[in-house]
Amino acid sequence: MNGFAAYMSRKLVRLALLVVMASMLAFTLVANSPIDPVTAYLGIDRMQISQEQEQLIAERWGLHKPAPERYLLWAKNALSGDLGQSLAYNEPVATVIAKRFTTSLWLMASAWLLSGIIGFALGVLAGLYNGSWLDRCIRLYAYTLAATPTFWMGLVLLACFSVALGWTPICCATPPGVSLEEATLWERISHLLLPAATLSIIGIAQIALHTREKMIDAMHSDYALFAMAQGESRVGVALRHALRNIALPAVTLQFASLGELFGGSVLAEQVFSYPGLGRATVEAGIRGDVPLLLGIALFSTLFVFTGNAIADLLYRSLDPRIRIGAQEAS
Amino acid sequence: MLHKCHLSKSCFSLCVLTLLLGLVFLAAPQAQARDTLYLAIKGEPSDGYDPTLGWGRYGSPLFQSTLLRRDANLDIVKELATDYRLSEDALVWAVTIRDDAKFSDGKPLTAEDVAYTFNTAAQSGGKVDLAKMDKAVATGRHTVEFRLRERDSNFINRLVSLGIVPRHLHGPGYARNPVGSGPYMMANWTEGQQMVAVANPYYYGETPHFKKLVFLFTDEDTSFAAARAGKVQVVVVPQYLAVQKLPGMKLHPVKSVDNRGLLFPMVPNEGKKTATGAPIGNNVTSDIAIRKAINIAIDRKALAEAILEGYGRPAYGVCDGLPWDNPANKIEDGNLDKARAILAKAGWKDTDGDGVVEKDGVCAEFTMVYPADRAIRQGLALACADMIKPLGIHAEVLGKSWDEIKPMMHSSVVVFGWGSHDPIEMYHLYSSSHAGEGWNNPGFYRNLAVDEHLEAALSAPEYKAALENWKKAQWDGTTGANTHGDAPWAWLVNLDHTYFVNEHLDIGTSQIEPHGHGWPITANIQQWKWVN
């Protein structure tokens, strides 16, 4: 247990460093971008606003102070739990992220599950029938998908299923006139179908190809050969022996892919007008909304880090060899 | 024979399918309830519905009501105010408000709320410019005074555009839960997607016909697809889509002062730079002959026909058709011979035969920039460059981002777009006191007579008297900021805003709309009706 505590504290230190670096980098990038938040905020109203008023806006947002001072002020507030006020949404950053992420969570969770389950199944099949036409089809499919940009895939799906066939809704998280609270489960799911399919597509290819490799290895391992020598069928070996061994890498990979899931949701949400965190990120970028961008950068750092940490922990708890190995090494 | 039979069978099933699909499409629009309207007219205010930060500047604030408003002819009429007077020295506005107005929570609207709204807006650092107001004071339950620091005839536009918020409910969360005395109140807002408004039972005016309004905040393509499927009754489309037909909908083009024009740098390039290091001046466009020749050579009607598909009209100034517009701005354009004569008289000649005219060793060449993501501006820039080519003027057309245009705009020709229901815009565009100040007067235009007229307009004792001065700033008979005068701009076109409206929906007469992203079409929403 002592080893576990040390392991966790090492992780936490690393997380703290990561958060500091990520926020500094994000701040430097935004502060040096040519976007002027006040101009972005005013837009066409520019001609109706006097110079004094513009000054007032800059002061409300604290833009009149030099950049390092602004960062330190932000960091001080962030440490006490206050992430500041979003310029674009005129709301506390934490509230914006919480609201938007609950919407995104539906999308990301369903995409994550879909890609995990389908990807794993395809990988197992391809590995089991290595070299067959089925394997070749699955590989072709996976390579094609791996090379497909998310947004393009989204547009194709949209054009086919929503515009031409009319089976799925065109946009948004709920039907027009129905709020999130009023929407039935089916309404929500039907609005999730296409974006989730789009988003899961990258994940499927990755999981499938990795699982396939592991499956081929497992089928050629000593224990598999031994089982087959005793008269066990290929499918039997796969189900009873190989599956458990290849599940772990797949699960790890799945948790480690949260970063790609986050990035992919920005594109998918844009295509489907899905009002989640991805769209808020784009808006924050366009409007030069520094507090919101920093908040999202922090949040996504935590999100991805958590994914990777879970993958590590799973390995440790599911595969005793790693724990024993770590103890022997220390 | 067999083949034929097979064919006719598939033909039959195809027919049935088409019929079914047709039925679905026909049934969709009729199934809609008549007291609920779906509108896809863009313009979601991401920072919320708080008038003290600038919500509702275009059209009506919907949830809140204003003291005054502009009617279909843009004349100022009373709304919450029953009487308004300006003091002798033009420094104090005294306004009496109606005594039957209530907020949608049932509490009465008093002078205290009005004073609170104006004082808060003045300090909040939003899009409401009240820098010239000292303070607002409630002098009675239904009377309020606005005290100005200096004379400002334009202050009346704040009475027209600022929605009144309830003092007892206004605070940090207000923008997301607006309460006001307007015809509608907010029921639900799913940010990034839609907002639902229902009729306000406490509204003092005539009860609107539609009980529920659903505003969809979808992309252009999505909105159009939704309208095609009969899911929305009002949709705004870009001009190039207005030529299409939508089943069950009619086109409703609305005139606007949403204009596009070419800004000219007015001073020669003497190597000067702004405080931020942007170069100032252009040796070609600083010659008035070049600016006038371009103005006269451009065929504005052709631009409106070709680039706006006819949904637009020629622009001769920044405020065409508004009460402060000077009709003398109009010129006869598309006249190449006259333009050539102007250039020749000023000494611009093509001596080396390369198709470009020169004067004192300077070739008539300049860069013309437009924001790269705006298709209409790109079209206008390219067409204008073509139209002035026969004059021997060469424009190199470049698409850039606004952030790239900013350092270029004092030395290059820029395709800008403005147009507002507030004449202060003219002041910021033409006044030399604002030369080179951010996006104000980027061309460094300076004319003392124009400055005098502009100042006179601002300090005029009242709005009506100011109108004359605003007009004189454009052209006072001898000089001005229009084409007959100094021609600091070549105004090109005013866009028509193109809406598709369900054929059963009567939305009355729309105002000339301003440039911008609000909901000007909803200005008369109380008069909208469903007719069978």
Side-chain angles (χ1 to χ4, degrees), chain B residues 176-207:
Chain B
R176 284 183 161 65
N177 286 299
V179 170
S181 51
Y184 286 91
M185 56 189 203
M186 182 188 283
N188 178 285
W189 180 24
T190 314
E191 281 166 58
Q193 191 179 323
Q194 62 177 342
M195 193 271 290
V196 182
V198 294
N200 171 10
Y202 294 100
Y203 181 51
Y204 54 82
E206 204 182 321
T207 314

Side-chain angles (χ1 to χ4, degrees), chain A residues 34-36 39 41-42 44-53 56-57 60 88-91 99-100 170-179 181 270 273 275 287, chain B residues 38 46-47 53 57-58 122 124-129 175-176 188 191 193-194 214 216 218-219 222 225 403 406 417-418 420 424-425 428-429 437 439-440 515-517:
Chain A
I35 295 173
D36 173 23
T39 304
Y41 171 67
L42 287 177
I44 180 66
D45 287 303
R46 184 57 205 84
M47 280 300 137
Q48 295 169 44
I49 299 278
S50 65
Q51 207 72 353
E52 292 101 311
Q53 184 66 19
L56 204 60
I57 297 171
R60 168 159 75 107
Y89 294 98
N90 180 35
E91 222 182 0
K99 251 199 299 203
R100 292 298 178 122
I170 293 165
C171 80
C172 318
T174 50
V178 181
S179 71
E181 296 81 39
Q270 207 60 23
S273 304
R287 304 265 302 257
Chain B
Y38 290 84
S46 63
D47 55 352
L53 289 176
R57 305 174 310 289
Y58 303 107
S124 67
K127 290 176 184 170
V128 185
D129 191 345
R176 284 183 161 65
N188 178 285
E191 281 166 58
Q193 191 179 323
Q194 62 177 342
V214 180
L216 298 181
T218 42
D219 294 339
T222 316
D403 298 303
K406 213 172 173 185
W418 306 108
S420 151
I424 194 72
E425 182 172 86
H428 288 140
L429 281 177
E437 197 184 79
W439 301 95
N440 293 339
H515 186 122
H517 316 283

Side-chain angles (χ1 to χ4, degrees), chain B residues 116-133:
Chain B
Y116 170 82
T117 303
F118 276 76
N119 289 328
T120 308
Q123 280 145 27
S124 67
K127 290 176 184 170
V128 185
D129 191 345
L130 284 167
K132 285 196 179 157
M133 187 185 81

Side-chain angles (χ1 to χ4, degrees), chain A residues 80-216:
Chain A
S80 63
D82 175 14
L83 289 175
Q85 189 88 357
S86 159
L87 312 185
Y89 294 98
N90 180 35
E91 222 182 0
V93 166
T95 318
V96 177
I97 293 180
K99 251 199 299 203
R100 292 298 178 122
F101 184 66
T102 25
T103 318
S104 287
L105 194 62
W106 279 69
L107 174 63
M108 286 201 217
S110 45
W112 187 74
L113 280 178
L114 269 180
S115 66
I117 295 169
I118 299 178
F120 186 70
L122 289 181
V124 167
L125 281 178
L128 188 57
Y129 300 107
N130 181 16
S132 69
W133 62 267
L134 182 68
D135 175 38
R136 260 179 276 162
C137 285
I138 292 177
R139 259 189 298 160
L140 179 71
Y141 172 77
Y143 286 137
T144 315
L145 286 189
T148 308
T150 318
F151 71 93
W152 184 82
M153 194 67 218
L155 289 176
V156 170
L157 289 180
L158 198 63
C160 288
F161 292 101
S162 296
V163 177
L165 294 170
W167 292 348
T168 44
I170 293 165
C171 80
C172 318
T174 50
V178 181
S179 71
L180 268 179
E181 296 81 39
E182 292 165 350
T184 62
L185 187 68
W186 166 243
E187 279 172 343
R188 297 204 60 166
I189 291 175
S190 72
H191 279 81
L192 263 180
L193 276 176
L194 281 195
T198 309
L199 189 51
S200 63
I201 268 163
I202 342 166
I204 288 182
Q206 205 191 7
I207 299 275
L209 290 175
H210 274 94
T211 308
R212 177 181 171 274
E213 284 303 309
K214 293 279 175 197
M215 190 69 190
I216 292 172

Side-chain angles (χ1 to χ4, degrees), chain B residues 331-343:
Chain B
I331 55 163
E332 188 216 335
D333 61 1
N335 191 335
L336 283 175
D337 291 335
K338 203 171 158 194
R340 278 198 195 97
I342 291 173
L343 284 180

Side-chain angles (χ1 to χ4, degrees), chain B residues 1-16:
Chain B
M1 195 62 209
L2 191 81
H3 182 74
K4 208 173 167 187
C5 172
H6 185 76
L7 195 80
S8 68
K9 219 173 179 180
S10 68
C11 272
F12 176 72
S13 49
L14 206 80
C15 281
V16 170

